[in-house]
Amino acid sequence: MQCDCCAIKKLIYQYADHIDRGDLRAVAAMFSHGRIVATDNEGRENQFVGEDAVYDLMSAFTRLYPDNGTPHTKHMTTNVMVELDDDGQTAGSQAYCIVFQALPDFPLQPVIGVRYQDRFEKTETGWRFSRRRMETDLIGDLSRHLLQAI
């Protein structure tokens, strides 16, 4: 049996793997009972609630390349700190993520750094996201990663 903290970390890492594989539907499915909160350039929060809204967000921003259907990225999620709430049914975490990207005409480089502040809830089948708050604090050359500016 997997420990609760390990199960939550697996969700965090699975999110990154789904994006790097270009599986935006799988990313969205992780939020079928949750939401993503993103901060825009002016500090306003935008909420994307549920699977359809998260898919629309991801597909509107993430550039997928026709050669293999991926964004040619590696999301490196680090400094993951999970805290289980006293009720044993909810938890929170925070982590950093640096996204690296490389293409034949775009040398390997970090393109963005974000901080994740997540909330989780435990169900009969395991843990799931209830909220992911994304704060962008480092911005590099996103011209090959995003379809539109953040």
Side-chain angles (χ1 to χ4, degrees):
M1 182 172 180
Q2 192 175 48
C3 76
D4 289 331
C5 287
C6 295
I8 289 168
K9 286 181 180 182
K10 184 177 178 180
L11 283 174
I12 293 167
Y13 299 139
Q14 187 65 65
Y15 172 91
D17 185 64
H18 286 324
I19 293 175
D20 291 337
R21 292 179 186 276
D23 193 348
L24 304 183
R25 286 274 175 213
V27 172
M30 297 181 86
F31 294 90
S32 60
H33 295 92
R35 68 183 187 263
I36 289 181
V37 180
T39 306
D40 68 16
N41 291 340
E42 296 174 9
R44 294 181 300 240
E45 288 188 351
N46 298 294
Q47 294 199 36
F48 304 89
V49 180
E51 186 172 343
D52 291 340
V54 170
Y55 177 76
D56 290 346
L57 167 70
M58 292 294 171
S59 61
F61 278 91
T62 308
R63 184 184 309 275
L64 300 179
Y65 288 86
D67 63 335
N68 65 1
T70 77
H72 289 271
T73 57
K74 294 290 185 254
H75 286 65
M76 306 301 292
T77 309
T78 66
N79 299 31
V80 179
M81 295 176 277
V82 177
E83 289 194 30
L84 298 173
D85 295 338
D86 290 340
D87 64 9
Q89 301 301 304
T90 56
S93 74
Q94 63 178 355
Y96 300 142
C97 182
I98 300 293
V99 180
F100 291 89
Q101 187 176 35
L103 293 153
D105 62 343
F106 189 75
L108 178 64
Q109 61 190 279
V111 295
I112 191 168
V114 298
R115 179 188 305 262
Y116 296 138
Q117 294 178 346
D118 297 327
R119 293 294 304 162
F120 304 90
E121 56 192 15
K122 192 173 190 178
T123 69
E124 292 177 4
T125 58
W127 288 92
R128 67 184 180 201
F129 278 100
S130 58
R131 185 195 77 216
R132 165 157 277 188
R133 187 171 196 281
M134 298 188 301
E135 298 175 5
T136 300
D137 51 7
L138 299 172
I139 297 178
D141 186 346
L142 291 168
S143 64
R144 306 297 183 88
H145 181 42
L146 299 182
L147 294 169
Q148 52 183 299
I150 57 173

